[in-house]
Amino acid sequence: MFRKITSLTSFFSFIVLIITSVVLYIVPQGRVAYWADWTLLGLSKEQWNDIHICTGVLFIIISILHIWLNWKPILAYLKKKAGEANFTSPAFFISLIITLFVTFGALAGLPPMKQVLRFSQDFKAMGEAKFGIPPYGHAELSPLQIFCKRLGLDLEQAVTSIKKEGIELESTKKTIKSIADKAGLTPKEIHEIILKDQPDKKKSLKKTPATPNNEVQSHSPGAGIGRMSLEEYCAKFNLNLDTALNILREKGVVVDKDTPIKEIAKSLGLSSPRAIGELLNP
């Protein structure tokens, strides 16, 4: 009975882990998911992550029990004959090599791990394009008065704009998320409401060119720059790819269009991927 419960629990928790892994693989970046109040099947990214972590812990515990209950069969795989451990069999080495290849290949950016990670990044980039990027990290957790102060917005006008939409606002100390939740909106939609009656701010936002330096100012807590390939980076900031490659070669760094910005920054000894902007767009 105990053995059967262990096996079935291991199986079911493994199924749940597969589902949550797929969801977390395609979910937008945290800052985007929280800003747009992203959900899938009614669950937020945080809830999917909680399920993944707790089920993962369950799977680890059950796996340990499963190994303990099946220790003799496992040892049989590693033995050539009774009493002699077989750590030189083809099966042992092939299994070990596959595991190490995937583990270290992910760190080194080797195919197909590189393509798997890039595919996930593409999904997350689609999320950014669809839901937008918050003005700064966890902006949704800022009280309205702090939010307006950080963005240089008129607080009184922001309050007027919110109330004009029929949204109840008890205090400017309420966070953007709490205001949005009460109104049945997303933090992004509250931001758009606030901007409606602040034409000067809207105009300045539209006129601001998309350059690496502007990106740092408006999205300084990380806009995924490090994960972009050089080609994606140049396309985003209207830079010439060939010129960028030549500049990097002059600095002694030989890369290609698919090299991630964080790797280029590391090769140049830069403290942050964002510093690439000053180099490629002086």
Side-chain angles (χ1 to χ4, degrees):
M1 182 71 172
F2 182 66
R3 187 185 294 271
K4 184 179 291 188
I5 291 174
T6 301
S7 298
L8 288 174
T9 303
S10 176
F11 172 74
F12 290 133
S13 60
F14 179 66
I15 295 298
V16 174
L17 280 176
I18 290 176
I19 295 172
T20 56
S21 295
V22 171
V23 171
L24 295 176
Y25 180 78
I26 64 174
V27 68
Q29 298 284 2
R31 63 185 185 281
V32 177
Y34 300 137
W35 182 242
D37 200 17
W38 179 93
T39 60
L40 181 64
L41 301 179
L43 300 177
S44 67
K45 176 178 180 177
E46 191 172 37
Q47 289 173 316
W48 279 108
N49 191 58
D50 290 346
I51 294 172
H52 185 74
I53 291 173
C54 292
T55 308
V57 171
L58 172 63
F59 184 74
I60 290 172
I61 294 172
I62 291 298
S63 295
I64 293 172
L65 288 174
H66 192 273
I67 291 171
W68 176 65
L69 291 172
N70 296 277
W71 185 243
K72 289 183 179 180
I74 292 173
L75 282 180
Y77 283 115
L78 299 175
K79 289 183 177 181
K80 188 162 33 178
K81 54 187 178 180
E84 184 179 346
N86 182 20
F87 296 106
T88 59
S89 69
F92 178 84
F93 275 109
I94 290 173
S95 300
L96 181 61
I97 289 171
I98 290 174
T99 303
L100 292 177
F101 175 70
V102 172
T103 301
F104 292 102
L107 297 176
L110 299 177
M113 284 67 70
K114 178 179 180 180
Q115 285 70 27
V116 170
L117 295 173
R118 177 62 59 81
F119 197 49
S120 176
Q121 292 168 15
D122 290 342
F123 268 109
K124 296 181 188 303
M126 288 168 59
E128 289 185 2
K130 180 178 180 180
F131 301 114
I133 302 175
Y136 56 90
H138 289 297
E140 73 281 356
L141 299 181
S142 295
L144 178 61
Q145 59 186 19
I146 301 299
F147 182 80
C148 290
K149 183 177 181 180
R150 288 196 63 169
L151 298 183
L153 300 173
D154 186 291
L155 178 59
E156 291 184 6
Q157 185 59 62
V159 172
T160 301
S161 298
I162 291 172
K163 290 183 176 179
K164 190 166 69 173
E165 293 292 326
I167 300 172
E168 185 180 346
L169 181 62
E170 300 171 356
S171 168
T172 57
K173 294 182 180 180
K174 293 289 184 180
T175 65
I176 297 298
K177 179 171 175 53
S178 65
I179 296 171
D181 288 344
K182 195 165 187 177
L185 302 172
T186 67
K188 177 189 174 185
E189 290 171 328
I190 293 295
H191 184 208
E192 291 171 349
I193 290 172
I194 292 173
L195 289 179
K196 280 182 181 178
D197 299 315
Q198 304 207 22
D200 292 338
K201 187 63 181 176
K202 286 166 64 181
K203 189 182 295 183
S204 66
L205 286 173
K206 288 180 180 178
K207 288 186 176 180
T208 303
T211 66
N213 292 332
N214 288 330
E215 180 73 10
V216 173
Q217 292 174 0
S218 59
H219 307 304
S220 57
I225 290 177
R227 296 184 177 184
M228 291 181 183
S229 66
L230 179 60
E231 183 178 33
E232 292 169 338
Y233 183 86
C234 290
K236 182 176 180 66
F237 298 117
N238 299 317
L239 301 175
N240 184 278
L241 178 60
D242 291 331
T243 301
L245 287 168
N246 289 332
I247 291 174
L248 292 171
R249 288 192 187 100
E250 290 175 1
K251 295 293 182 180
V253 179
V254 180
V255 298
D256 59 31
K257 64 179 183 179
D258 295 322
T259 305
I261 292 298
K262 62 181 180 182
E263 290 186 14
I264 298 175
K266 185 177 180 180
S267 299
L268 291 168
L270 300 175
S271 58
S272 168
R274 301 187 189 93
I276 291 287
E278 298 177 3
L279 178 64
L280 301 182
N281 190 45

